[in-house]
Amino acid sequence: MSSSYYLLCVSHDPALRIDSSFTSPDAAMDAIAAGLEEHPVCDLLVARVSGALCEVGCPPTRNQRHHPPCLAHGGPKWADADLLRLLTAVNQTDDVRVRDVARSNAFSCWSIRRLHRLRLELGTPALLVLDPSAGTR
Ligand SMILES: [Zn+2]
Ligand SMILES: [Zn+2]
């Protein structure tokens, strides 16, 4: 089955599916780079769907119109939907050492706020761990 790509606005809670569909990841990333009239300063991600949601991509930092949670990256960063589900679960554990893994630099694109807002796409529970050390990124 071929993949299609659509944009997600995670400035909204829960994330809003933007009514657009692309046949390649580059076309979707280019649309974000060009800017969206309806979401001029929003936090935008790309979803890859092949039957079900497969992956979510964070656009290159220079193409993001808001202050992104992630460490700067020059190309898109993709994460498997299952990895995002795991990170959601890990973010909710009581074990601080395990939780710190989900909040490490390796996963900086997938902040608690973004994961929480992606919950309907991922089929995960709400995740607003309002732990002050978690920050608001
Ligand atoms: Zn928006
Ligand atoms: Zn990122």
Side-chain angles (χ1 to χ4, degrees):
M1 192 184 293
S2 66
S3 295
S4 63
Y5 300 81
Y6 61 88
L7 307 185
L8 287 168
C9 176
V10 281
S11 288
H12 299 257
D13 185 10
L16 213 69
R17 280 187 196 208
I18 297 173
D19 187 23
S20 56
S21 179
F22 302 90
T23 51
S24 79
D26 290 348
M29 289 292 173
D30 287 351
I32 291 178
L36 266 74
E37 209 175 301
E38 308 276 308
H39 302 265
V41 290
C42 289
D43 186 5
L44 301 170
L45 300 172
V46 176
R48 178 169 80 85
V49 177
S50 182
L53 176 70
C54 299
E55 279 184 298
V56 180
C58 179
T61 311
R62 65 179 179 283
N63 296 337
Q64 299 195 40
R65 312 255 160 167
H66 68 106
H67 186 65
C70 33
L71 295 175
H73 49 90
K77 285 232 182 164
W78 292 91
D80 264 32
D82 281 341
L83 173 65
L84 298 179
R85 293 182 183 109
L86 275 176
L87 288 176
T88 299
V90 167
N91 263 299
Q92 295 183 106
T93 159
D94 292 332
D95 186 329
V96 180
R97 285 171 307 174
V98 174
R99 222 164 52 203
D100 282 348
V101 173
R103 297 175 193 180
S104 71
N105 290 347
F107 304 117
S108 71
C109 296
W110 314 111
S111 65
I112 290 174
R113 177 173 299 250
R114 279 181 169 178
L115 291 172
H116 173 72
R117 293 182 172 187
L118 288 170
R119 66 193 180 277
L120 298 186
E121 303 297 323
L122 296 170
T124 45
L127 201 170
L128 266 191
V129 186
L130 291 176
D131 165 1
S133 71
T136 52
R137 71 180 179 91

